[in-house]
Amino acid sequence: MSPSPESPADRSHNCADADVLIVGAGPAGLALAAALHDAGLAVQVFEQQPLDALTEPAEDGREIALTHRAREVMRRLGLWQHLPADAVAPLRQARVTDGSGSQALRFGEGAAGPLGWLVANHRIRQAALQAVRDRPGVQLHTGARVSGLDLPAGQPGALASLTLADGRRLQAPLVVAADSRLSATRRLAGIGAAMRDFGRSVVVGRVAHAADHQGIAWECFRYGNTLALLPMNGGLSSAVVTVPGDRAAEWLALSDAAFAERVGVQSGDRLGALRSVGPRHHYPLVGVYAQRFVAPRFALIGDAAVGMHPVTAHGYNFGLYGVEVLARVLQAARRSHRDIGAVDVLQDYARAHRRITLPVYLGTNAIVTLFTDEHRPAKLARRAVLALAERAPGLSGLIKSAITRQLMGAAAQASKA
Ligand SMILES: Cc1cc2nc3c(=O)[nH]c(=O)nc-3n(C[C@H](O)[C@H](O)[C@H](O)COP(=O)(O)OP(=O)(O)OC[C@H]3O[C@@H](n4cnc5c(N)ncnc54)[C@H](O)[C@@H]3O)c2cc1C
């Protein structure tokens, strides 16, 4: 059999260091490296943190709710198999209450299986690293901060190049930025982002409790602050308190006993006596949506593309959906000898990712606005929304099935590129 003819793009890429250079070895960058390797592409990943920070990532208080589709992507990439069984907590039901907590919207009641699963972020990071290490072809450079990016403009065949802080320079047909919601590489590419600073912060801490949480997550939109209780294994829940930014320090400074007591009171003591376990962590809440996901020889993935408010638990799920689509698009381009960095190739990913993420990003921001506004009209409106949703079976069913489909990843699946 004669070898397939080399395209002009193939020829110009012979001097490249890899097919794809990825900036950032967070959970999105590592998952993408594994997916692109499996798609037959040569990948190098650059991470500013030292190797120790990746092999033994510190517990950071984030319990990541994963959808069915996200679990499927993790399974295919071999990440899921690296999670110890006791690190995965099933999310069986979710309930949303407002103000006094007298009304609750319920999700997942009567469902055959869990709505999703909760896994600590540091465990996901560890599993993603192991999945990359299972693929010796992927080159991971740690302690390697990317400080420069050069995207060729209007020069057909010219490669993109990255510069590292130590002066090294690398070239490839495609650079992907996975360097967090405040992505410096996105800025170097000249891509702006819509940012929404909610003026609020999340304080997270684990609590041990006497009563069984039964796998139920609670989201209590209280007046003054929001409290979520996320079910974990071992008689624990993660308490996620959202407060105005100027009150975060007060919540962080509480003694363990005072924190447990406040969480207990605010949750209506539904989990019995509480005990605070381990450190508390703090995250300012900023939503970010990139103005474009791609440019010639460049793409954004993970939080660098879409940084979600955590209330609807979609950030990493979206990262994984993006990984799946981008890998599929690049594999198809490579098989048909198209240039993997060409913007018309990358647009297929951009369009699909925007279709999945934009409605949820905007919807999440609208929910946050309605449920954290302390003015009387907003309080009345949200009480009405919950009451209507619970009492009007048709509307309730629509809302619930839309949210449940999001959790199961069904809506996202349906609109695959
Ligand atoms: C409180 C909280 C709760 C959350 N809950 C959920 C949830 O329930 N479900 C869900 O799906 N998502 C959730 N998320 C979101 C989720 O944590 C993020 O979407 C996910 O961690 C983002 O991964 P990433 O790889 O894109 O970015 P990051 O994890 O931020 O990784 C970026 C990496 O890039 C590296 N880097 C940065 N700049 C450079 C550079 N110049 N050179 C080299 N390396 C660089 C960084 O060191 C880092 O390792 C939550 C987030 C928070 C804060």
Side-chain angles (χ1 to χ4, degrees), residues 23-30 46-49 54 60-66 118 121 125 144-147 178-181 183-185 202 204 230 240 283-285 301-304 306-319:
V23 186
L30 289 172
F46 300 88
E47 168 57 48
Q48 63 187 0
Q49 296 184 78
L54 297 195
D60 60 15
R62 301 188 207 184
E63 299 300 323
I64 306 296
L66 296 162
L118 284 152
N121 192 45
R125 293 188 75 131
R145 186 171 67 80
V146 171
S147 57
D179 54 346
S180 86
R181 66 187 65 204
S183 168
T185 317
V202 156
V204 281
L230 306 178
V240 185
Y283 295 93
L285 289 175
I301 199 108
D303 278 16
V306 182
M308 294 286 297
H309 186 296
V311 69
T312 49
H314 272 96
Y316 189 49
N317 291 297
F318 281 165

Side-chain angles (χ1 to χ4, degrees), residues 22 25-37 73-74 77 79 128-129 131-132 135 316 319-320 323 327:
I22 300 175
L30 289 172
L32 181 67
L36 294 186
H37 175 270
V73 178
M74 290 174 80
L77 298 179
L79 271 79
L129 178 66
V132 162
R135 295 163 168 90
Y316 189 49
L320 288 168
V323 163

Side-chain angles (χ1 to χ4, degrees), residues 18-374:
D19 292 315
V20 184
L21 303 174
I22 300 175
V23 186
L30 289 172
L32 181 67
L36 294 186
H37 175 270
D38 295 354
L41 297 170
V43 185
Q44 295 198 32
V45 187
F46 300 88
E47 168 57 48
Q48 63 187 0
Q49 296 184 78
L51 183 60
D52 285 359
L54 297 195
T55 49
E56 295 297 329
E59 191 264 315
D60 60 15
R62 301 188 207 184
E63 299 300 323
I64 306 296
L66 296 162
T67 64
H68 287 241
R69 179 179 173 191
R71 183 178 69 155
E72 243 352 272
V73 178
M74 290 174 80
R75 268 206 183 131
R76 271 203 298 281
L77 298 179
L79 271 79
W80 193 261
Q81 295 82 331
H82 282 299
L83 292 172
D86 65 358
V88 180
L91 173 58
R92 299 194 187 287
Q93 288 181 34
R95 294 188 189 164
V96 180
T97 67
D98 173 51
S100 62
S102 53
Q103 286 166 351
L105 255 189
R106 295 154 183 257
F107 302 93
E109 275 185 342
L115 289 171
W117 296 267
L118 284 152
V119 182
N121 192 45
H122 71 288
R123 299 287 203 158
I124 294 176
R125 293 188 75 131
Q126 243 167 355
L129 178 66
Q130 281 169 302
V132 162
R133 283 183 157 172
D134 292 341
R135 295 163 168 90
V138 176
Q139 290 184 48
L140 171 61
H141 307 265
T142 51
R145 186 171 67 80
V146 171
S147 57
L149 172 73
D150 190 9
L151 298 176
Q155 307 157 42
L159 300 173
S161 60
L162 278 184
T163 310
L164 305 186
D166 64 10
R168 274 180 291 164
R169 201 157 177 266
L170 296 108
Q171 292 193 311
L174 178 63
V175 169
V176 181
D179 54 346
S180 86
R181 66 187 65 204
L182 300 179
S183 168
T185 317
R186 183 178 67 213
R187 179 168 285 272
L188 288 171
I191 298 180
M195 294 204 185
R196 172 86 189 271
D197 187 337
F198 294 94
R200 296 186 156 247
S201 290
V202 156
V203 174
V204 281
R206 292 181 173 185
V207 288
H209 38 79
D212 183 1
H213 53 48
Q214 300 175 308
I216 301 173
W218 287 89
E219 184 76 48
C220 316
F221 290 102
R222 297 177 47 77
Y223 302 142
N225 69 271
T226 297
L227 170 68
L229 286 172
L230 306 178
M232 301 166 61
N233 291 326
L236 296 174
S237 288
S238 171
V240 185
V241 186
T242 308
V243 294
D246 59 353
R247 293 198 50 212
E250 171 201 327
W251 277 83
L252 286 166
L254 289 175
S255 68
D256 282 355
F259 179 71
E261 191 190 335
R262 267 200 201 179
V263 170
V265 169
Q266 295 205 355
S267 63
D269 289 322
R270 56 175 53 99
L271 292 175
L274 297 184
R275 184 167 48 83
S276 175
V277 179
R280 257 161 268 152
H281 300 267
H282 161 234
Y283 295 93
L285 289 175
V286 181
V288 177
Y289 203 93
Q291 283 165 359
R292 286 176 288 142
F293 293 155
V294 301
R297 305 227 169 283
F298 185 74
L300 296 165
I301 199 108
D303 278 16
V306 182
M308 294 286 297
H309 186 296
V311 69
T312 49
H314 272 96
Y316 189 49
N317 291 297
F318 281 165
L320 288 168
Y321 303 167
V323 163
E324 188 183 34
V325 175
L326 183 56
R328 194 169 55 236
V329 164
L330 296 184
Q331 184 175 37
R334 175 51 59 91
R335 282 187 178 155
S336 53
H337 294 287
R338 295 176 73 199
D339 180 350
I340 59 168
V343 79
D344 58 331
V345 166
L346 299 172
Q347 282 297 359
D348 286 347
Y349 155 68
R351 272 191 294 271
H353 202 46
R354 188 168 298 270
R355 201 165 54 232
I356 301 294
T357 56
L358 190 58
V360 181
Y361 178 79
L362 295 175
T364 299
N365 292 355
I367 288 172
V368 171
T369 305
L370 177 65
F371 279 85
T372 54
D373 187 334
E374 299 302 329

